[in-house]
Amino acid sequence: MPVPKTVILPSKELPDDTTNKSFRNLAYPLDWNGIFNYVGFPAYMKPFDGGGWKEVYKLENEKDFFSKYDKTKQYVMMLQEEVVFDDYFRCYCIGGKHVRIMQYEPRNPHHLRYEHGKAPASKKLLDTIKDYVIKLNQYLGYDFNTVEFAVRDGIPYAIDFCNPAPDAEVTSVGQENFEWVVETAADYAIERAKKQKDGFDNLTWGEFVKTSAAKMPLVAVAKKAAVKADVSVAMVDHAIEDEGKPKKTKTTKAPAAKAAMAKEPAVKAAAVKETAVKTAVVKEPVAKATAVKEKAAPKPKKAAKK
C-alpha cells in the first residue's frame, strides 16, 4: 500500500522520568543528512499520535526544520514527505467492513472541507481506496477509525490511518455523512451486543497483533484468507513430506492399469472381471471367423498310390 516517505524522530526533550541512558539504543548524533535526503523538502512534521491538525508544520528546508523541531518539547514527531495531491479522501471505517468514502479538501477552511466542488472520482479509484481502508483497519484492529488518502498521479497514498476517535460533528462532516456514521455505528453496536459471549474475550484484535502472538508471518495470513471455506475433506493417502515431490512412473504399465491397482480389492476384482469380459467379447468374433475359414478351406487331397 503506498505511503509517503516517513521518519519517526525522538522527542527533542527527554520525557519525564527518563535519563540519557534510557535511549542508548538510538545512534547519536542522528544522521540528519540521511533523513533529509530520504524524505526531501518540502516536508511536513506532525506528532505521531496527533489529531485536529495540532502541532503540524510545513517545512521548506533544513533551517526551517530545526527552528520548528526545537519547539516540539516532548512530542514524538513524524517527518513526512509532501504529497502534492490532485484529489483527497477521508474515509470512515466501522467494524472493519463498513466504509464511507468522502471527497475532502484539507486546504479549505474547516467548515468547507467537505464542500470541495470536485468532479466525482472514478469507480476504479474508489474501489482501490475501499480495499485499502478495509485492509488497514482489519490489520490494525480498529472498530471505528478514519483513513485519509492523498491522490498523486492517480495513486492514493495513505496519509493518516490511526484516528480511532475521529471527528463526526454534523457541522463539519455534513448532514448525510453524519447520519451514515450514527446509523452504521448503532447497527454495529447492536451486532456486537448480539454476538457477546460471557466469559470470553470479545475484543477486536487486529491481524498484526494476532499473527505476532502466534509467531506467524503476515504473508501467511493473506494466503490463508484467499482459500475458500467450502472445501471437501478427504483422507491423506501419502506421507506429508512427500508432497511436492515428482512421482515416479514406469513405462511398462498403462495408466489404466495403475488406476486399477490403486483401488480396493473388491473394486479391483470387478475391474479385472469387466476387462476380461470385454476381452472375451472382442476375441469371440475373431474365433468364429477363424473357425469358418478353417471349415471352408478344402481338405488336402491324399497322394495317389503309385
Side-chain angles (χ1 to χ4, degrees), residues 182-198:
V182 172
E183 291 293 329
T184 307
D187 289 343
Y188 183 64
I190 294 170
E191 176 188 330
R192 291 298 297 268
K194 288 181 176 180
K195 292 182 178 180
Q196 170 77 18
K197 293 182 179 179
D198 294 338

Side-chain angles (χ1 to χ4, degrees), residues 40-52:
F41 289 104
Y44 282 91
M45 185 170 61
K46 55 187 178 181
F48 87 98
D49 60 347

